[in-house]
Amino acid sequence: MKIPHLLPSDALLIVDVQLDFCPGGALPVPEGNDVVRVLNAWIAGALAGGAMVLASRDWHPVGHPSFASQGGPWPTHCLQDTLGAAFHKDLHLPHETILVSKGTRFDKDQYSAFDETGLAIALRRKDIRRVWIGGLALDVCVQATALDAVRAGFETHVIHQACRALSPASRKTALGQMQDAGVALEE
C-alpha cells in the first residue's frame, strides 16, 4: 500500500468506522473490520504530513427516521452514546481528530458528512484543498460524502482499499457514479 505524501492542505476523512457497521454490529458491512488496518496507515501518513484528520459518525437519536421501526430502510443502529455507535476499538484516531456527527436530525437522514454539518466551511477555514476519504459503507455514506465534497469544490479522493460496500453490485454502481462526478479512486 502506497500512501501519497499528505500536506497541511489535505484532510483525511474517516467515514463511520463504528461497531454497528462492523461484523457483529446491528448493520454490518461485509468485511468492515478490514478497513481499520489500512486507515491506521493513512492516519500515520496524515499525521506525518501535517494533514487534518476527521472522523464522521452516525449519531442517531432514539426513534430516528432512518430506522425500520419508523418507516425507514435500516435496522436501529448507532444510537447516541451506545457501544454500537463507538468507533472500532483498533482504529487509532489521534486525540486531535475532529468528530463530525451526522444523522442527528429528527426529520431526515444524513448520509454525507457534509450534509448540514458545517464541514465544508470548517475545511475552507483551514485552507484544505484535497479530501481523502475511507470508511463504511462505500455504497452509502462514503459515496454521499465524496459526492458532496466534489460539489463543495474540494479535490476528492476515495481510498478504495480503505472502504467496504454492502454488496458487490452496489459497490460497482457507487464507484461508477463517483468517478463520473470527478472523484479520484485511489488504491
Side-chain angles (χ1 to χ4, degrees), residues 1-170:
M1 161 181 25
K2 185 176 190 286
I3 299 171
H5 180 68
L6 301 183
L7 305 167
S9 58
D10 289 316
L12 174 62
L13 176 53
I14 298 162
V15 176
D16 302 357
V17 182
Q18 296 168 267
L19 293 178
D20 270 348
F21 296 130
C22 292
L27 184 52
V29 176
E31 302 174 352
N33 290 335
D34 293 350
V35 304
V36 173
R37 179 188 57 79
V38 177
L39 286 170
N40 284 338
W42 277 82
I43 290 168
L47 294 175
M52 177 185 285
V53 177
L54 305 101
S56 73
R57 61 182 180 179
D58 265 6
W59 197 243
H60 297 314
V62 172
H64 191 261
S66 72
F67 299 160
S69 62
Q70 304 300 312
W74 309 112
T76 299
H77 64 281
C78 297
L79 286 172
Q80 295 172 0
D81 294 317
T82 65
L83 182 60
F87 291 108
H88 192 286
K89 66 179 179 57
D90 295 328
L91 186 64
H92 301 304
L93 293 174
H95 71 276
E96 65 268 18
T97 299
I98 297 169
L99 301 182
V100 181
S101 299
K102 60 188 185 58
T104 59
R105 293 184 55 133
F106 290 96
D107 60 340
K108 72 171 197 165
D109 204 358
Q110 296 161 280
Y111 294 119
S112 169
F114 287 89
D115 186 0
E116 298 182 10
T117 63
L119 179 56
I121 292 167
L123 294 177
R124 284 189 197 103
R125 284 184 183 149
K126 296 289 186 178
D127 294 321
I128 300 299
R129 292 182 196 92
R130 294 189 301 182
V131 178
W132 303 81
I133 302 171
L136 305 171
L138 174 73
D139 44 351
V140 185
C141 294
V142 169
Q143 178 184 12
T145 297
L147 294 175
D148 278 354
V150 168
R151 281 192 278 274
F154 297 102
E155 180 183 320
T156 304
H157 302 258
V158 167
I159 309 159
H160 192 255
Q161 290 183 341
C163 299
R164 294 296 181 274
L166 289 171
S167 78
S170 59

